[in-house]
Amino acid sequence: MALGAAAISDAEAPLLDDTVEGSIDFKGRPVSRSKSGGWKSASFIIGVEVAERFAYYGISSNLISYLTGPLGQSTATAAENVNVWSGTASLLPLLGGFLADSFFGRYRMIVVASVLYILGLGCLSLSALIYSFDSSDSPPQLQIVLFFFSLYIVALAQGGHKPCVQAFGADQFDEQDPEECKAKSSFFNWWYFSFCAGVVVALSVLNYIQDNLSWGLGFGIPCIVMCLALILFLLGSYTYRFRLQSDERNPFLRISQVFVRAARNWQTTTSVISMEAENQGILPYEGFQQYEFLNKALVAPNGSKLDGKVCSITDIEEAKAILRLVPIWATCLIYAVVYSQSSTLFTKQGVTMDRYITPTFQIPAASLQSVISLSIVIFIPVYDRILVPIARAISGKPSGISMLQRIGTGIFLSLLSMVIAALVERKRLQTAIQYGLVDMPKATVPMSVWWLTPQYLLFGVSDVFTMVGLQEFFYDQVPSELRSIGLALYLSIFGVGSFISSFLISVIEKATGGQGQDSWFSNNLNRAHLDYFYWLLAGLSTAAFITYLYFAKSYIYNRKGNV
């Protein structure tokens, strides 16, 4: 990132022992390790993330209730709209990461995204107030238009905010320093811990306000919190480490040229490639033969080095590193489909069940999502302080277990959560039949909402493994100049997963709801079959898990410390 005098070169500013190589401060000066970065700077950035997650989940966690309530949409339509919005919000970080890594830098992108967040949340509050002043049964068209416009402004803001804040936070730790390198590994754990603490507050406080007091106030509080978060982030500016902008070509251009030049040399034989590698002094190494077709970029057209038409081995390895991520990315999509159910169908289940915890106090159904966050908040310290040291002593790896082992463990746990969800839903349907409530969709099924707790708990523990593992994996395995886009790739898994979930619901709704029959997602959940859908997801998760194991076993890490 270039700020102020970011053009300082190593020759112009010789590095001292305490200076962090490749980093500058807010005024463009080489930074001292003891006076900048580390947990001091990361604390400001984590604080901003807590506020942003509070705002985002304050909207997303109860969105299906707003769509089926004040906006009057059906369960299937509302679930599709939530998934499309969530998918868009998770794909837009690809754009935000690209703009940050190529043009603006992470710091500036965070500031711009925060301003957009405030704008979107303010308009969202206004749209809810329009409804509160309108006495008609159906919402006015102005409210609907303003609501969805505001919702997608928030999605756009998250697209700039999410990949940059986490990457900027991890940038505060120097990879060349052994202690800071170890601290960076813990950073991803405590980042997610703080993230979930913000979510717990959002689910506990905002959902209650939205369901019982005012939707306008429930959307307005996150707007105020984001204003405070922006101020907090700016206050930490003089403690941050900013990466020097590289004098090399744009990393996207360098990597894309590898694919273009390899394609142009598609007729080049293996013997010619081996000869060219030998001429360049490239010794055989692990990974050279993987994706061998990209090695053709070493050779210029017609086998001669003319006009610099060859790529360096570093460029080729960076292209391979990106390509190696694709199978892992693809096999995690079903995990993302499963993940999207916690804020949609799980919530609709909870609405039908007994939610009283005292004779007079009923918890909002969306607040049950706080069980996920609470399990994460409880389990992360156990994982980081107990399980990791034990695993580290056994394996000798700084992280205890490899990132791919961590991700795979979470995928397996999410599979089990779907099995439990299907069994609990079957129990709920049987209870509705037993008490003659099948044709009374607004009646409360005499079954405690705490029956849903096991599936939420297992979801939370699986998140500690898979979510945090994916964050660290996609940050670590991409070229250093592309770490914002690396985290955006991780987020895009959940974006595409949400779209897949929306597509599955749409197809199943049409296939099972024809000719006057109740579909799996009938508005009357007592005649629906969410249990069938959960069994389908459990089957898909099993297939995805087996496929993941195959690709993870053959994966070649970009940095050897993670093997």
Side-chain angles (χ1 to χ4, degrees), residues 170-353:
D171 286 346
Q172 304 309 308
F173 299 92
D174 183 10
E175 293 180 343
Q176 307 303 316
D177 182 88
E179 288 303 313
E180 288 201 18
C181 186
K182 187 182 293 185
K184 190 183 78 172
S185 183
S186 285
F187 165 79
F188 286 97
N189 290 327
W190 292 105
W191 172 275
Y192 205 59
F193 174 90
S194 304
F195 165 121
C196 292
V199 174
V200 168
V201 177
L203 296 176
S204 303
V205 177
L206 291 182
N207 289 164
Y208 181 83
I209 291 172
Q210 291 163 354
D211 285 355
N212 297 282
L213 298 178
S214 164
W215 283 99
L217 181 61
F219 292 147
I221 292 174
C223 181
I224 296 171
V225 169
M226 280 306 299
C227 290
L228 296 175
L230 178 57
I231 294 171
L232 176 68
F233 181 72
L234 294 174
L235 286 175
S237 295
Y238 284 93
T239 73
Y240 300 147
R241 294 173 183 171
F242 300 89
R243 291 193 175 275
L244 280 167
Q245 189 175 38
S246 173
D247 293 331
E248 297 180 359
R249 292 168 295 160
N250 185 293
F252 290 96
L253 179 62
R254 287 191 289 108
I255 291 172
S256 62
Q257 284 179 339
V258 172
F259 290 96
V260 171
R261 290 172 183 175
R264 287 179 178 175
N265 293 339
W266 66 276
Q267 292 181 313
T268 303
T269 62
T270 303
S271 59
V272 173
I273 296 172
S274 299
M275 186 181 301
E276 184 62 33
E278 186 177 343
N279 290 339
Q280 294 186 34
I282 300 170
L283 300 175
Y285 60 91
E286 184 184 19
F288 186 74
Q289 299 303 322
Q290 190 179 36
Y291 303 125
E292 190 175 6
F293 67 94
L294 290 180
N295 294 341
K296 295 177 181 181
L298 284 171
V299 184
N302 302 320
S304 61
K305 289 186 178 181
L306 296 175
D307 302 321
K309 298 290 185 181
V310 295
C311 297
S312 69
I313 191 63
T314 300
D315 293 342
I316 293 171
E317 279 308 303
E318 288 184 348
K320 287 184 179 182
I322 296 295
L323 205 55
R324 288 188 194 107
L325 298 176
V326 175
I328 304 300
W329 183 92
T331 51
C332 288
L333 288 176
I334 298 302
Y335 174 84
V337 174
V338 171
Y339 178 83
S340 66
Q341 307 316 313
S342 63
S343 62
T344 53
L345 300 181
F346 282 15
T347 300
K348 293 302 293 181
Q349 280 179 275
V351 169
T352 69
M353 301 169 77

Side-chain angles (χ1 to χ4, degrees), residues 47-267:
V48 173
E49 175 68 2
V50 170
E52 189 271 337
R53 290 293 86 185
F54 173 85
Y56 181 81
Y57 276 88
I59 298 167
S60 65
S61 63
N62 213 17
L63 183 57
I64 194 166
S65 298
Y66 189 77
L67 294 177
T68 56
L71 292 193
Q73 296 185 344
S74 68
T75 298
T77 301
E80 288 175 34
N81 280 331
V82 171
N83 284 326
V84 169
W85 175 74
S86 178
T88 303
S90 297
L91 284 176
L92 282 171
L94 290 170
L95 174 62
F98 169 76
L99 293 175
D101 286 343
S102 298
F103 303 105
F104 304 121
R106 291 161 193 161
Y107 177 87
R108 288 194 184 98
M109 183 58 69
I110 293 168
V111 173
V112 171
S114 296
V115 172
L116 278 176
Y117 240 122
I118 294 166
L119 173 65
L121 292 168
C123 291
L124 206 61
S125 303
L126 180 61
S127 74
L129 289 173
I130 291 174
Y131 173 78
S132 66
F133 289 120
D134 188 87
S135 58
S136 61
D137 292 333
S138 59
Q141 193 63 31
L142 173 62
Q143 182 209 2
I144 296 173
V145 172
L146 182 59
F147 176 79
F148 280 101
F149 170 77
S150 307
L151 203 59
Y152 280 89
I153 288 292
V154 170
L156 181 63
Q158 203 230 202
H161 205 280
K162 196 75 179 76
C164 299
V165 173
Q166 191 169 12
F168 192 55
D171 286 346
Q172 304 309 308
F173 299 92
D174 183 10
E175 293 180 343
Q176 307 303 316
D177 182 88
E179 288 303 313
E180 288 201 18
C181 186
K182 187 182 293 185
K184 190 183 78 172
S185 183
S186 285
F187 165 79
F188 286 97
N189 290 327
W190 292 105
W191 172 275
Y192 205 59
F193 174 90
S194 304
F195 165 121
C196 292
V199 174
V200 168
V201 177
L203 296 176
S204 303
V205 177
L206 291 182
N207 289 164
Y208 181 83
I209 291 172
Q210 291 163 354
D211 285 355
N212 297 282
L213 298 178
S214 164
W215 283 99
L217 181 61
F219 292 147
I221 292 174
C223 181
I224 296 171
V225 169
M226 280 306 299
C227 290
L228 296 175
L230 178 57
I231 294 171
L232 176 68
F233 181 72
L234 294 174
L235 286 175
S237 295
Y238 284 93
T239 73
Y240 300 147
R241 294 173 183 171
F242 300 89
R243 291 193 175 275
L244 280 167
Q245 189 175 38
S246 173
D247 293 331
E248 297 180 359
R249 292 168 295 160
N250 185 293
F252 290 96
L253 179 62
R254 287 191 289 108
I255 291 172
S256 62
Q257 284 179 339
V258 172
F259 290 96
V260 171
R261 290 172 183 175
R264 287 179 178 175
N265 293 339
W266 66 276
Q267 292 181 313

